[in-house]
Amino acid sequence: MPLAGTKTRKSPLPLYFDNLAALDTWRATVAGPIDHSEGVLKFIARKLRPADSVGKGKLLVSHDFKGGYVEDPFSKSYTFNWWSSTEHFNYFSHRRITIPPPEWITAAHRAGTTMLGTIIFEGGSELDMLRMLMGKVPGINTASEVETQANSTLPLTPYYAELLANIAAERGFDGYLLNIEIGLGRGAEQARVLAAWITILQAEMIKKVGPHAQTIWYDSVTIRGELWWQDRLNSANLPFFLNSTGIFTNYWWYNDAPGKEVVYFNNLDPNLTGQTQDPHPQVIKHTVQDIYVGIDVWGRGSHGGGGFGSYRALDHIAPQTLGLSCALFAQGWTWETEENNPGWNWDSFWNYDSSLWVGPASGTVTVPPLQIKGGETPCTHGPFTPLATYFPHLPPPEPYDLPFYTNFSPGIGDSWFVEGQKVWQSVRGWTDMDKQTLVGDLIWPRPKVTRLDSRTDAVPIGITKLNMADAWNGGNSIRITLSIPGSSNAYSALWVPIQTLNLTSRRKYEAAAVYKAPTLANAETEFALGLRTAAGADLMTIVTSSTIDLANGWQKAVVQFEITTPAAGGQVLTQGQLGLIVAVVLKNPSPAVELPFLVGQLAVYPYVPDSYTEYDLVQHWIYFEPDSATTPLNGTLNFEVAVAFDPVPEITITDPEDPRVPWHLQPTKPWFPKFLYFNVYAQQLPGGAGSTPGPLTWIGTTTYINVGDKKTFYVLQDNLPYSSGQRRYDFKVQPVLETGEVYPAWVSFSSVSVLGGASVEELEEGEPQAESSAASSAETESVQEPLAQADMEKKPKRKSSVTSMLNPLNRLKVKGDKADKGDGASTK
């Protein structure tokens, strides 16, 4: 996804479970814990300076949006883009067990945000709650049997805690919001058992998911088992808070509640909160930042009225001073309340949504009237303040832990581009959170342009727009327009920061920016990559730099650099702003000049010496597996990627004491290439004498949505290009590395024919062929080398002679009673 056509495969795994019996039924079909998170980006924690986090409240966003699971891959849907303010994201629905969609997990993890599912019990689920605590009992399935089994003292088992932790580990998410909105029939006895169950769940989560795992309690049930929302942390919900990693308080609180919570927490016994001088061996350590004060963006009971009045509630929560955190519920209000307005579209949503989070690009925001609830202390508030203002900018993971890459995708688009060329235009647009990247935390609502020259006149004004009409890779770029005022001085050197990053001194990085600038009649321009502090100090010690002309008018600036080492020496985590230096020379400086330019891609990643990259990527094998004989063109395209090393030089080592190594070694740390996705192409082959092959057509990208592994692609006949004649196809696969580098497409030599209702897969080994060549009929599977064809301008970094090395690895499977040679997968 994105995917050409109008159909896609349903998830092969359950998206949610409506009750625990459904979970047990599904689990019975699975042989033990299985990792289904192959295509999901693993969580990597942000590295933060103390100034970024200590004593400052965090943001939990709870995504209650139309019941959940409503994203439409074939139109532009709601997406969330404010990850740089968000510590935790909770995918919420009213299903018993809500499992976050894999594409949302990847989007959150790319930014360093944890993703939480939901465990919810609402009216009518009392017996299912007993089942969760007691565990699965053989032979007991009905409600009455559960009630009978629980007639004695309520037993507690770890069965469902273990199972739910397994689900999180297998699907790749990081914890649960626990929303128990029913009264507990056993009163305080059941409340105690429930609180104890939470500790088992958290222990299992830490064991199976990692130390970052979260179990956050929603303020609902009290110590007496009553459903009675407290709207704050107090003695009625204290055990549930202490046994979890945090509490999400209900949002009907009065404006004095945040201050009372801080006082209450500070008066707790340090042995309960783990705030002892030495680490407490039996309890989770808690701080005031673990209290997430609830705000309902719909305004139901929330101080300030919700919506654009939500900032008033944040004034009282005061994350930067009191240190309380915030749980923001149903932030999709910006979509749901506006979507039916005349003329509304996705651009309208973006302007509305971004105004709530980062403020409007121009003008002011109208806020709802302040209504003081009965019993509240009268208070006043200033004009609208964007929500992100209350929280620190949280950079994505350090690029040595996870290479930083963005093409500024908000997770939607109208078309798809590969290296500046549009390869597909949709009818209604597309949505895919798996393809979402950070949109730049320093360019909204406007870029903060400053001067690097010595001029004292007005600083140019910048405007940022998402540009769906042109892109380098993916669905969009960003368009930044600088309005340079007229002046007697012809030269300007401007700094345009784009994204906050935390990097480490005494490490070598490489950064790349892909951009496109117009030719102006009255100006000459030059662009360079930069990294500066918020105060404007240069952080780059440049080792090498270059600018490369790319296809379709794009250019690429590449810099190898180190972070300027602080005077104290050693490795120090430093926060910088990655952006562009724009030099402008006006031929006639008097009139004002508009300078629009596009930024298509930014990437920062560890510098790797050439000696570690003496290989080419090759397609190791590929085969097509049809769903059935009746639908031979519906099925899964499976492939594997390998590396082929350069030829080994002549070995001259003869002395056993010789300390040299015979070839350049690979790093002992992870080095095998990783991929953002693969572009997949199809070409209809000639169906008879005189016919010609169809054009090479992009049919989609790999993603977890299709199958669950980024090296598979689900093919639907209805989505394939077709002109006339016999349906026979070649497929080609094009890898996109995690740094954004696009490799040439590989010829797959895998074609599927429909002959009299039968399915024949044709796989041909040999040299790469031109687009017009057809695969010959042979039931074999072959290793191939990279495609080198005229319409793919980018070549591999180095060309090695891999054919002779790879031929002995060819796989061959023959149907029926013929000999089975090799261990490749059989053709269908």
Side-chain angles (χ1 to χ4, degrees), residues 1 13 28 87 129 168 339 404 430 448 499 511 521 551 641 644 745 753:
M1 200 68 58
L13 297 171
E87 185 77 22
M129 163 59 69
E339 62 177 322
F404 169 73
W430 56 266
K448 301 171 180 63
Q499 176 64 48
V641 177
S753 302

Side-chain angles (χ1 to χ4, degrees), residues 721-792:
Y722 178 69
S723 55
S724 63
Q726 192 179 80
R727 290 184 181 270
R728 302 175 65 242
Y729 295 91
D730 251 357
F731 295 103
K732 300 179 183 181
V733 178
Q734 181 180 47
V736 181
L737 297 175
E738 64 180 345
T739 56
E741 181 181 1
V742 180
Y743 255 69
W746 286 314
V747 175
S748 71
F749 300 105
S750 173
S751 63
V752 179
S753 302
V754 179
L755 302 174
S759 172
V760 178
E761 180 181 352
E762 299 176 339
L763 300 160
E764 175 180 313
E765 59 181 302
E767 293 295 324
Q769 301 177 0
E771 288 180 74
S772 61
S773 63
S776 63
S777 297
E779 294 178 350
T780 63
E781 178 184 326
S782 175
V783 179
Q784 301 301 333
E785 62 178 272
L787 174 71
Q789 59 185 58
D791 67 339
M792 298 291 181

Side-chain angles (χ1 to χ4, degrees), residues 14 25 76 137 156 185 250 287 363 439 468 763:
T25 299
K76 290 184 281 191
V137 181
L156 172 65
N250 192 44
T287 67
V439 295
M468 304 293 170
L763 300 160

Side-chain angles (χ1 to χ4, degrees), residues 177-209:
L177 172 68
L178 308 178
N179 189 356
I180 315 301
E181 295 202 75
I182 56 172
L184 305 181
R186 298 290 184 103
E189 175 198 4
Q190 190 172 347
R192 180 179 185 179
V193 173
L194 175 58
W197 183 87
I198 295 170
T199 65
I200 300 173
L201 175 63
Q202 178 60 21
E204 289 294 317
M205 291 292 297
I206 290 174
K207 179 171 69 174
K208 294 170 180 174
V209 172

Side-chain angles (χ1 to χ4, degrees), residues 19 42 49 62 137 163 169 178 210 213 240 268 384 413 463 473 484 517 563 572 642 699 713 728 741 755 764 773 784:
N19 50 60
K42 309 299 182 187
R49 306 169 304 165
S62 188
V137 181
L163 184 51
L178 308 178
F240 303 108
L268 293 174
F384 171 74
I463 298 175
N473 283 318
I484 302 174
I563 300 298
V572 177
I699 60 171
F713 182 81
R728 302 175 65 242
E741 181 181 1
L755 302 174
E764 175 180 313
S773 63
Q784 301 301 333

